[in-house]
RNA sequence: GCCCCCGUAGCUCAGCCGGACAGAGCAUCGGAUUUCUAAUCCGACGGCCGCAGGUUCGAGUCCUGCCGGGGGCGCCA
């Protein structure tokens, strides 16, 4: 199946060839000819809208153009009907037998027809990236979950992925924290909840620093000592990182997220003087009011400070150094950053500098809107922060209550495992299923939805299929289902088959636009088609042949659901 | 002041490169379980797609302006 093109590209190439045969010498204008899924089933399976747009260039009426393209279309076994409609649409209906064979091909491929689009290419994905010494709260989940889905998706498409958790482990906050640690440490609290205690120390020290000049000066001194390699401060700093990573790792384990690298900003510290030198020598940055400032006259961006007047490097310098280091070490085709919207300007500046320094890799900032509460923003100071662990706990608790109710006979251990999969899946899906760039208002009921457009809905569809397959094997032991052909005859079966066959195109689209929500939408629609099928069409008690075809269709849906959910980082238990 | 994003059904949101009558979930109302898991399915109700112009054969989608909300803009990261 590796050499097989996806449905979209197959039909698009063919349709373009039809236009080229009808209008020789117009290749440039015809490059835009494309085929897309039909807006409505009544129009067929796919449609081509190119004729209307070409009317001016080709100096012909759209309907005449469409008719000519149809007349010149080369033979194509995939297409049963090709017809003109409305002002110049071309509607395509796939051949039933061809579609069934296509599905057979997908099912015999462990990759379900997904092309190895990224073979030989490397992408670095920088995501999650929490700050050391601060607990992860619900604002951190989006980067983690979206980044992880992009990670899995790219890996599946054959990219070599370097997932890097770029910890915030360097900077002025550590001077404040060390000073706080020296004066306010509560050892019992640190032992009980280390990161919470570190945060408390930071907040307390920070507040005092705002009020007292001397305290602030002392914080700065601690930072300078740390950055100069003072053994005592270095040891403290390493301890902060160790404690924080312990807590982060616990959350990542629950979320089933793993990184290839966990390099903090500190990793690039030694490279900063070299970067500054290059920025200065190339004229990209110059002195201004004691600071070193990068200007972006050509790019219409405001200037940014790369080195402060006290000589400390700013985070723009760190991020440029990080880009250069990644390019040098991994030679990636793309570096993808997943952060919230507040960093848009920052990354535009960093990317502009990197390009000026000769970086050719595609630099992408995948940003998402800040999570808000109905009553407004949340902040540590207002004390209305919802800790990520609390959210995950609540999700599992709600899911467990549901499992106990609907599956009272399931062993307790399994109930807990299902509740974990369902609860965590629900939380992830809430972030993955919407356009990340919308403003998001957090609500418990939405984040933990267990019905409707939610992960549990998909998991439920999957579990029901597993149950059907088990029952089939019980009643018909030893039967090799592959020996029976797929015969999608009913409209709902055909719709299901067509939807399944689109899976590879969906993966490519989601990766190209860096939007896992495209995959989530697809899976939701798939589960919807399936639920309709399941609810309204009997299969186990049908006659041999029909029965096997339908059971195989079920298996196909299960396979795509499982693979799709896995790419979103969501488990698909066989029983829920 | 300048820049970026968002504004779609009562609520929460989809809507890919502009395409044929604008779609879900929740909520409300009405149906479906002797059957393969009802965390489900079927149906009803519900929309000047913020407003006003413009481009286009065609605009929720692109452009301009305005209104409303969020974020950012030289010494935090």
């Amino acid at each position: 199946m590796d050499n097989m093109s996806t449905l979209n590209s197959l039909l698009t190439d063919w349709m373009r060839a039809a236009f080229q045969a009808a209008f020789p010498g117009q290749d440039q204008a015809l490059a835009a000819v494309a085929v897309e899924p039909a807006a409505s089933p009544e129009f067929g399976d796919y449609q081509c809208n190119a004729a209307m747009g070409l009317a001016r260039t080709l100096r012909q009426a759209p309907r005449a153009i469409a008719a000519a393209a149809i007349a010149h279309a080369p033979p194509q076994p995939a297409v049963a009907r090709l017809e003109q409609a409305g002002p110049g649409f071309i509607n395509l209906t796939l051949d039933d037998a061809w579609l069934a064979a296509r599905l057979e091909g997908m099912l015999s491929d462990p990759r379900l027809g997904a092309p190895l689009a990224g073979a030989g290419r490397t992408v670095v994905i920088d995501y999650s990236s929490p700050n050391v010494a601060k607990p992860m709260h619900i604002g951190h989940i989006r980067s983690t979950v979206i980044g992880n889905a992009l990670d899995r998706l790219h890996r599946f498409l054959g990219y070599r992925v370097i997932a890097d958790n770029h910890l915030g482990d360097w900077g002025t906050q550590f001077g404040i924290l060390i000073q706080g640690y020296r004066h306010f440490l509560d050892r019992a609290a640190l032992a009980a909840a280390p990161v919470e205690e570190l945060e408390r120390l930071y907040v307390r020290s920070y507040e005092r620093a705002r009020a007292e000049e001397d305290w602030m000066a002392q914080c700065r001194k601690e930072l300078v000592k740390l950055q100069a390699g003072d053994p005592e401060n270095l040891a403290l700093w390493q301890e902060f990182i160790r404690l924080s990573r312990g807590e982060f790792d616990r959350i990542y384990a629950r979320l089933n997220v793993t990184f290839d690298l966990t390099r903090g900003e500190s990793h690039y510290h030694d490279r900063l003087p070299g970067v500054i030198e290059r920025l200065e020598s190339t004229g990209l940055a110059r002195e201004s009011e004691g600071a070193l400032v990068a200007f972006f006259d050509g790019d219409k961006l405001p200037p940014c400070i790369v080195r402060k007047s006290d000589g400390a490097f700013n985070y723009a310098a760190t991020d440029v150094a990080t880009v250069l280091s990644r390019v040098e070490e991994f030679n990636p085709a793309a570096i993808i950053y997943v952060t919230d919207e507040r960093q848009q300007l920052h990354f535009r500046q960093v990317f502009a500098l990197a390009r000026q320094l000769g970086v050719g890799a595609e630099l992408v900032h995948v940003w998402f809107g800040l999570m808000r509460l109905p009553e407004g923003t949340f902040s540590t100071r207002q004390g209305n922060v919802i800790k990520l662990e609390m959210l995950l706990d609540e999700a599992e608790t709600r899911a467990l209550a549901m499992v106990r109710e609907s599956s009272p006979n399931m062993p307790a251990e399994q109930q807990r495992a299902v509740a974990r999969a369902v609860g965590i899946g629900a939380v992830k899906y809430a972030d993955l299923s919407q356009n990340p760039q919308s403003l998001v208002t957090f609500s418990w009921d939405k984040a933990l939805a267990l019905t409707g457009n939610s992960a549990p809905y998909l998991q439920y569809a999957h579990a029901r299929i597993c149950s059907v397959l088990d029952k089939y094997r019980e009643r018909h032991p030893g039967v090799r289902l592959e020996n029976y052909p797929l015969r999608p005859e009913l409209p709902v079966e055909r719709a299901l088959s067509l939807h399944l066959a689109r899976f590879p195109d969906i993966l490519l689209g989601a990766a190209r636009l860096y939007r896992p929500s495209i995959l989530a939408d697809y899976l939701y629609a798939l589960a919807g088609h399936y639920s309709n099928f399941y609810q309204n069409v009997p299969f186990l008690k049908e006659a041999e042949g029909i029965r096997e075809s339908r059971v195989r269709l079920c298996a196909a849906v299960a396979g795509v659901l499982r693979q799709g959910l896995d790419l979103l980082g969501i488990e698909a238990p066989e029983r829920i």
Side-chain angles (χ1 to χ4, degrees):
Chain A
M1 193 91 180
D2 279 356
N3 296 325
M4 212 158 171
S5 55
T6 65
L7 217 38
N8 271 359
S9 57
L10 175 88
L11 296 173
T12 291
D13 290 349
W14 173 65
M15 206 67 240
R16 191 174 299 137
F19 274 84
Q20 282 166 347
F23 305 97
Q26 297 282 355
D27 286 8
Q28 202 177 339
L30 300 179
V33 172
V35 165
E36 59 190 70
S40 161
E42 69 188 277
F43 303 134
D45 300 327
Y46 282 84
Q47 64 184 58
C48 175
N49 308 330
M52 280 92 73
L54 288 166
R56 180 162 298 189
T57 319
L58 299 179
R59 297 162 158 276
Q60 285 191 39
R63 290 181 60 86
I65 294 172
I70 290 171
H72 286 80
Q76 174 52 266
V79 177
R81 276 204 311 283
L82 191 59
E83 47 207 4
Q84 190 193 120
F89 294 103
I90 299 172
N91 292 334
L92 291 76
T93 304
L94 297 181
D95 180 77
D96 292 350
W98 185 89
L99 179 58
R102 176 88 188 178
L103 208 49
E104 296 278 6
M106 254 180 82
L107 297 180
S108 64
D109 176 11
R111 299 178 42 74
L112 294 169
L116 287 165
R121 293 155 65 90
T122 299
V123 293
V124 175
I125 310 183
D126 178 327
Y127 68 94
S128 197
S129 309
N131 287 324
V132 163
K134 289 185 187 165
M136 292 176 80
H137 57 78
I138 56 171
H140 290 107
I141 198 173
R142 307 200 79 189
S143 174
T144 307
V145 165
I146 294 169
N148 188 242
L150 293 174
D151 176 347
R152 289 163 178 265
L153 192 56
H154 280 84
R155 249 176 247 275
F156 189 64
L157 291 175
Y159 290 88
R160 169 193 179 218
V161 174
I162 311 291
D164 187 3
N165 190 8
H166 192 64
L167 295 180
D169 68 350
W170 204 241
T172 44
Q173 75 262 33
F174 287 96
I176 296 169
L177 180 57
I178 289 171
Q179 176 75 350
Y181 187 92
R182 290 244 161 80
H183 290 80
F184 309 128
L185 178 64
D186 175 342
R187 292 205 175 271
L190 190 73
V195 178
E196 269 182 59
E197 173 62 5
L198 291 180
E199 187 187 40
R200 188 189 69 86
L201 295 173
Y202 172 81
V203 169
R204 190 153 168 206
S205 178
Y206 175 78
E207 279 168 0
R208 185 144 169 201
R210 282 172 50 128
E212 290 177 35
E213 199 57 44
D214 290 352
W215 188 272
M216 183 52 119
Q218 192 56 39
C219 291
R220 287 216 184 85
K221 252 166 97 177
E222 297 295 350
L223 177 69
V224 171
K225 274 168 68 182
L226 170 65
Q227 301 206 339
D230 172 73
E232 214 171 295
N233 279 9
L234 211 52
L236 271 184
W237 172 74
Q238 281 162 350
E239 181 67 359
F240 299 154
I241 292 175
R242 193 184 64 80
L243 293 170
S244 293
R245 286 195 58 172
E247 179 160 318
F248 297 158
D249 287 346
R250 207 165 63 233
I251 291 176
Y252 293 139
R254 289 180 80 174
L255 292 174
N256 193 17
V257 166
T258 54
F259 296 95
D260 300 291
L261 299 173
T262 301
R263 284 177 180 169
E265 293 162 339
S266 61
H267 179 82
Y268 306 93
H269 184 244
D270 292 346
R271 306 176 65 106
L272 296 181
V275 169
I276 294 297
E277 171 129 359
R278 285 184 68 183
L279 291 174
E280 274 188 300
S281 65
T282 51
L284 294 171
R286 57 179 187 267
E287 292 282 333
S288 167
E289 296 174 33
L292 189 70
V293 179
F295 291 89
F296 304 89
D297 305 327
D299 288 301
K300 287 191 207 158
L301 292 170
C304 74
I305 291 181
V306 292
R307 190 184 61 208
K308 301 188 276 185
S309 50
D310 67 2
F313 304 111
N314 224 334
Y315 76 137
T318 308
D319 278 347
V320 170
T322 304
V323 172
L324 297 177
S325 166
R326 286 169 172 166
V327 166
E328 200 174 288
E329 187 172 356
F330 304 115
N331 187 28
I335 305 176
I336 301 163
Y337 294 82
V338 186
T339 80
D340 73 54
E341 61 183 320
R342 291 175 299 185
Q343 307 219 28
Q344 284 179 88
L345 175 58
H346 166 66
F347 279 114
R348 285 175 67 193
Q349 291 167 328
V350 167
F351 293 172
L353 289 175
R355 285 194 198 97
Q356 295 278 350
L357 292 176
V359 170
E362 188 185 0
L363 300 171
V364 184
H365 183 207
V366 176
W367 59 267
F368 50 85
L370 280 177
M371 188 94 79
R372 313 172 50 70
L373 292 175
E375 64 267 27
T377 54
F378 51 72
S379 69
T380 312
R381 279 197 310 276
Q382 290 173 28
N384 60 354
V385 170
I386 300 172
K387 298 228 163 70
L388 188 44
E389 288 204 289
M390 197 194 297
L391 176 70
L392 301 183
D393 289 345
E394 178 69 17
E396 291 186 21
T397 301
R398 290 193 190 196
L400 186 59
M402 193 118 168
V403 175
R404 283 185 174 143
E405 196 180 327
S406 60
S407 305
N409 299 323
M410 189 183 273
E413 183 54 33
Q414 194 183 352
Q415 285 180 333
R416 276 194 295 278
V418 169
R420 270 198 297 278
V422 168
I424 301 295
V427 168
K428 287 188 174 189
Y429 190 86
D431 271 329
L432 291 170
S433 64
Q434 57 188 331
N435 177 352
Q437 303 188 342
S438 311
L439 280 179
V440 175
T441 302
F442 177 83
S443 92
W444 286 100
D445 287 340
K446 190 173 62 171
L448 305 179
L450 301 176
T451 61
N453 189 357
S454 67
Y457 176 81
L458 306 183
Q459 291 168 321
Y460 180 66
H462 175 262
R464 285 206 291 193
I465 297 171
C466 291
S467 180
V468 167
L469 296 178
D470 284 352
K471 289 237 163 48
Y472 178 83
R473 285 188 204 105
E474 246 170 56
R475 295 178 196 181
H476 307 279
V479 173
R480 292 179 60 84
L481 280 169
E482 317 85 75
N483 293 341
Y484 292 85
L486 277 171
R487 288 156 46 189
E489 286 162 0
L490 302 173
V492 65
E493 293 178 287
R494 197 180 181 289
L496 204 45
S497 303
L498 177 61
H499 199 75
L500 285 167
R502 287 177 175 158
F503 184 59
D505 279 312
I506 295 299
L507 298 182
L508 291 179
R512 183 170 56 87
L513 298 172
Y514 305 106
R515 284 179 46 182
S517 64
I518 290 174
L519 176 55
D521 281 353
Y522 167 84
L523 294 176
Y524 177 61
L526 176 63
H529 280 117
Y530 179 75
S531 294
N532 187 329
F533 173 55
Y534 175 89
Q535 205 79 23
N536 298 304
V537 178
F539 22 93
L540 285 185
K541 61 184 185 187
E542 289 294 305
E544 184 182 1
I546 298 278
R547 182 177 62 216
E548 279 68 24
S549 169
R550 289 186 181 162
V551 170
R552 287 194 68 200
L553 199 52
C554 288
V557 173
V560 170
L561 277 178
R562 193 162 46 236
Q563 182 61 258
L565 283 170
D566 182 67
L567 294 176
L568 295 178
I570 296 173
E571 284 182 68
E574 302 202 344
R575 294 281 179 280
I576 78 171

